[in-house]
Amino acid sequence: MPVSNSPASPRRVTSSELEIDVVYGPASHGDLGDPGCFPFTRGPYPTMYRGRPWTIRQYAGFGTARQTNQRFKALLAAGQTGISTAFDLPTQMGFDSDFPLAEGEVGKVGVAIDSLADMRVLLDGLPLGEVTTSMTINATAPVLLLLYQLVAEEQGTPPDRIRGTVQNDILKEYIARGTYIYPPRASMRLVTDVFAYCGKELPGWNTISISGYHIREAGSTAAQEIAFTLANGIAYVEAAVEAGLNVEQFAPRLSFFWNSHNHLFEEAAKFRAARRMWAYIMRDRFGATGPAAQRMRFHTQTAGSTLTAQQPENNIVRTTVQALAATLGGTQSLHTNAFDEALGLPTERSATIALRTQQILSAESGLADTADPLAGSYYVESLTDRLEEAAGGIIEKIDRLGGAVAAIEQGFPQREIEEASYRASIRVESGQDTVVGVNRFTDDAGPAVQALSVDPALEADQRSRVREWRADRDQDAVDRSLERLAETARGAGNIMYPMKDALAEGATLGEVSDALRQVFGVHRAR
């Protein structure tokens, strides 16, 4: 049993405010099993990284499609094993680059994609039948997925070789990020239409990456990250079942996206607890019997919110600790943040250092030698159990509110995260929690790094590109295809099919989004 803290040893707690004892001893713990076996506490696959290393998937995207294509090629040449794409805010919000509200935001936090022409440039020369691609996009996820498919088809890639993940997790946008367009229930229809479409047309594509990352970035605790993310996952599965989809068929294409924060042991335990909880949820709530439908697979990104502009090189160490937690917790793919991201977009040098961090962990540290090396640790198993208990209690509250969608509409997760974020900021400001270089071990030197900046002229170039695209197409054909899209949205058919036709005819991302806005309306936060 754990040994209690004595008056002589200061109280220590995790981010979830779980008290940490001085020393841990033997105790009975929750269900462990073997790696690759229910409930998958110890990993989704029997041999884990001995059989297949985690995918090194560095997130990239800025400026124009051509610039981002060049960064992709540089990262692949340096040893990256998967593509991960960031999109700018206008693309995320369903606005073309020449829309008035897009002014000043084109290409700033990701790549601008307005049309099929941009997607062709973004993917030019990339072996789409060989690499897997992740796209961090939500409200406009169906549009970007279909543009990707159209380009892959032009390259001659067979449908079963088009592999990757689209984030497509709209519920967390209402909770933590705000890049939503339509009301929640209309958005849920788009999510399930993607599930059904990929089940028939793109069998190798992961249809959603249910994201705790942004929930944690907004200030949640580890336990809240688990709870709100799994509650969203439950809502997606319920919506898919209600739409008539077979859980054994669509559930294997679900994936998750987690944050890896600073507390090494709590984070490793968090991944193990979440995996175990999801296995029981799928079996007991939804009757899933196949291991593929019960198994949680996930991508992890190190915590951007922990990066500091002060002494930015310290972020290399933070990122390494966070990456270590993710791999000890059994992630299937990983992005490591660049050390200069608190100052601006990563430079090619800082992105390469972040890549090399993963390569050193994979090739030199021994992490890949055995499955679940932390199994049996008194401390880690205790944290795993306690996080499961804390997260389970939050999910029970969400169930009593009517599920994730109803809880979001009532503002429950938003309030809980705001309160947790406030408590964390007070701990830092009071000095209770140390941030090296910020509230302890400070110096007067300013940042010694030069951050990447996006040339403002690129916005004008992108605006010209989308206008030229519109001028060169068959406008009547585009108008007819957009009307068919709106007609399907007004009915009950799968929106993906007429949307693909419209994009192939030359409709832009903004025009497709506008057609749906006219049918669904837009969501306004209370």
Side-chain angles (χ1 to χ4, degrees), residues 200-331:
K200 293 181 179 178
E201 309 295 341
L202 297 173
W205 196 269
N206 295 317
T207 54
I208 193 169
S209 180
I210 305 164
S211 176
Y213 183 84
H214 304 93
I215 289 170
R216 191 64 176 277
E217 289 290 280
S220 81
T221 67
Q224 289 174 333
E225 182 186 358
I226 297 172
F228 294 135
T229 305
L230 296 191
N232 288 348
I234 290 167
Y236 292 127
V237 176
E238 287 174 343
V241 171
E242 288 173 7
L245 303 183
N246 184 304
V247 71
E248 302 290 348
Q249 294 176 355
F250 75 79
R253 304 318 307 171
L254 305 178
S255 64
F256 285 77
F257 174 25
W258 298 105
N259 193 303
S260 193
H261 221 265
N262 276 337
H263 196 294
L264 174 68
F265 297 105
E266 182 181 37
E267 293 303 293
K270 177 187 76 181
F271 301 126
R272 301 170 88 249
R275 197 163 40 228
R276 182 163 70 201
M277 291 177 72
W278 187 247
Y280 278 107
I281 286 167
M282 292 306 296
R283 188 191 71 177
D284 298 343
R285 286 201 186 213
F286 299 107
T289 58
Q294 300 167 340
R295 176 189 296 130
M296 173 188 283
R297 300 165 302 117
F298 61 88
H299 170 72
T300 308
Q301 181 173 337
T302 57
S305 60
T306 67
L307 304 181
T308 64
Q310 302 93 327
Q311 302 178 21
E313 292 89 348
N314 293 347
N315 296 327
I316 298 174
V317 182
R318 293 186 179 100
T319 294
T320 304
V321 171
Q322 294 161 9
L324 181 62
T327 51
L328 287 170
T331 192

Side-chain angles (χ1 to χ4, degrees), residues 27-155:
S28 59
H29 296 295
D31 194 358
L32 294 182
D34 292 323
C37 297
F38 187 92
F40 306 103
T41 313
R42 302 190 59 199
Y45 303 112
T47 60
M48 288 302 292
Y49 306 137
R50 283 280 288 269
R52 179 180 178 180
W54 68 84
T55 300
I56 298 175
R57 193 186 299 284
Q58 291 298 109
Y59 191 45
F62 65 97
T64 65
R66 190 166 304 283
Q67 286 180 299
T68 300
N69 175 267
Q70 292 168 352
R71 177 64 65 86
F72 283 157
K73 288 176 178 176
L75 288 167
L76 289 169
Q80 177 173 301
T81 53
I83 298 169
S84 185
T85 313
F87 298 96
D88 71 0
L89 282 175
T91 303
Q92 294 179 47
M93 296 298 295
F95 297 126
D96 289 334
S97 295
D98 62 345
F99 189 73
L101 288 178
E103 185 174 354
E105 294 294 342
V106 175
K108 288 294 179 66
V109 298
V111 61
I113 299 293
D114 294 315
S115 68
L116 183 57
D118 291 327
M119 188 62 81
R120 286 170 178 154
V121 174
L122 180 70
L123 302 176
D124 180 56
L126 300 179
L128 300 185
E130 299 173 20
V131 300
T132 61
T133 301
S134 174
M135 295 191 287
T136 303
I137 195 72
N138 296 283
T140 55
V143 179
L144 275 299
L145 172 57
L146 291 170
L147 289 174
Y148 187 93
Q149 181 187 3
L150 286 165
V151 174
E153 289 174 346
E154 290 176 353
Q155 292 186 4

Side-chain angles (χ1 to χ4, degrees), residues 303-366:
S305 60
T306 67
L307 304 181
T308 64
Q310 302 93 327
Q311 302 178 21
E313 292 89 348
N314 293 347
N315 296 327
I316 298 174
V317 182
R318 293 186 179 100
T319 294
T320 304
V321 171
Q322 294 161 9
L324 181 62
T327 51
L328 287 170
T331 192
Q332 276 58 73
S333 64
L334 177 63
H335 166 88
T336 38
N337 289 326
F339 71 86
D340 54 358
E341 289 188 51
L343 303 172
L345 291 169
T347 63
E348 188 166 343
R349 173 176 173 267
S350 67
T352 301
I353 291 172
L355 173 63
R356 296 289 183 246
T357 300
Q358 289 205 53
Q359 291 168 331
I360 290 168
L361 288 176
S362 178
E364 298 185 21
S365 70

